Amino acid sequence: MKLMDAAELVKQPPDVTENPYRKLGQEASVGKPIPAPAEESACQFFFDLSEKQGRKRSSTGRDNRSPHPKQPRKPPPPPGPCWFCLASPEVEKHLVVNIGTHCYLALAKGGLAEDHVLILPIGHYQSVVELSAEVVEEVEKYKATLRRFFRSRGKRCILFERNYRSHHLQLQVIPVPLSCCATDDIKDAFVTQAQEQQMELLEIPEHSDIKQIAQPGTAYFYVELDTGEKLFHRIKKSFPLQFGREVLASEAILNIPDKSDWRQCQSSKEEEETLARRFRKAFEPFDFTLDE
């Protein structure tokens, strides 16, 4: 097509009939300027010859717009049993405290606090980087809602994700009492402990997207402070699995170092059910899913 003349490209093939939809389209656009026939014929092909040659156009003649709305991308099925896919029989459903359209909230098993929760996608996604646009939108809505919820209870919340030796995205949300320490203290604790373990924890722009920094399949650790500040570490070899908990449980923040490993914080199912009921009741005034 690049070697053809413009006249050849717009030349109609033999036995062409009049477009039966042209009249209907003109009637539907009453009050709108109707393009001249010459302009319309130049735009009915896949390439707009009035602009830079080779620039692809949609079938409607408008640039970069699909004539059909894009369907939401379905998450891939899990490779095997998954403890966090909501439809999976392995899920401990008594820990689930809120369900949205694409995500749900669940109390963390062996949490650092009674209201330590997880934001999880309902479908199977390994990390934030792999989330589709509609899931990201609801994750952000849950983040904002949880910040307001914890702020009303005199707490700030810290979020982190460890995309390393994990099969299903678990966005940890840990409340820290405002009286405990300042946000800068939490930030310094993460940076200091990372340096002690010879890890580079970099601050990234507040409104940046993790997808701009890490590709799907990349191992990383990511922290988001209540101020919107973000810290990111690209995992190259190994990574301490309990790093996020260890920092928050340290003397500098929550001062509960004995709870740095979730396996040391197990509760009975009855206790977990009680905590879940308590959280649901407290969270209900902030529950945006009730309005949808």
Side-chain angles (χ1 to χ4, degrees), residues 98-115:
N98 190 265
I99 302 176
T101 305
H102 305 287
C103 306
Y104 71 99
L105 292 183
L107 287 184
K109 196 168 186 67
L112 279 169
E114 293 183 349
D115 43 6

Side-chain angles (χ1 to χ4, degrees), residues 115-231:
D115 43 6
H116 174 176
V117 294
L118 309 176
I119 303 175
L120 305 121
I122 292 174
H124 189 78
Y125 293 93
Q126 183 176 353
S127 68
V128 165
V129 174
E130 297 179 2
L131 295 179
S132 58
E134 62 271 14
V135 184
V136 169
E137 183 179 354
E138 191 164 275
V139 166
E140 292 300 323
K141 192 178 289 189
Y142 266 120
K143 284 183 186 179
T145 303
L146 286 169
R147 287 191 184 102
R148 291 195 301 272
F149 169 67
F150 285 123
R151 180 67 64 164
S152 72
R153 300 167 73 85
K155 301 175 183 180
R156 58 171 55 88
C157 63
I158 309 301
L159 299 94
F160 72 81
E161 177 198 0
R162 187 199 76 229
N163 182 31
Y164 175 74
R165 293 190 181 180
S166 58
H167 300 289
H168 190 112
L169 166 62
Q170 304 163 52
L171 191 56
Q172 308 271 344
V173 185
I174 298 92
V176 177
L178 295 173
S179 57
C180 257
C181 55
T183 302
D184 284 343
D185 298 326
I186 299 174
K187 181 180 177 180
D188 290 343
F190 271 103
V191 173
T192 300
Q193 292 203 36
Q195 290 174 344
E196 289 175 356
Q197 301 196 41
Q198 298 182 332
M199 296 187 304
E200 191 175 29
L201 197 58
L202 301 175
E203 185 168 355
I204 59 178
E206 181 178 341
H207 299 291
S208 64
D209 189 341
I210 296 296
K211 293 184 179 183
Q212 299 170 335
I213 301 170
Q215 297 296 319
T218 301
Y220 62 84
F221 176 81
Y222 157 74
V223 184
E224 187 171 340
L225 306 175
D226 62 306
T227 55
E229 296 172 275
K230 301 172 184 176
L231 303 173

Side-chain angles (χ1 to χ4, degrees), residues 34 46 64 77 90 93 95 110 122 133 142 145 155 182 255 264 279 284:
I34 301 174
F46 290 106
N64 301 324
E90 285 80 19
K93 291 184 170 58
L95 293 172
I122 292 174
Y142 266 120
T145 303
K155 301 175 183 180
N255 193 23
Q264 305 300 320
F279 186 95
E284 188 173 352

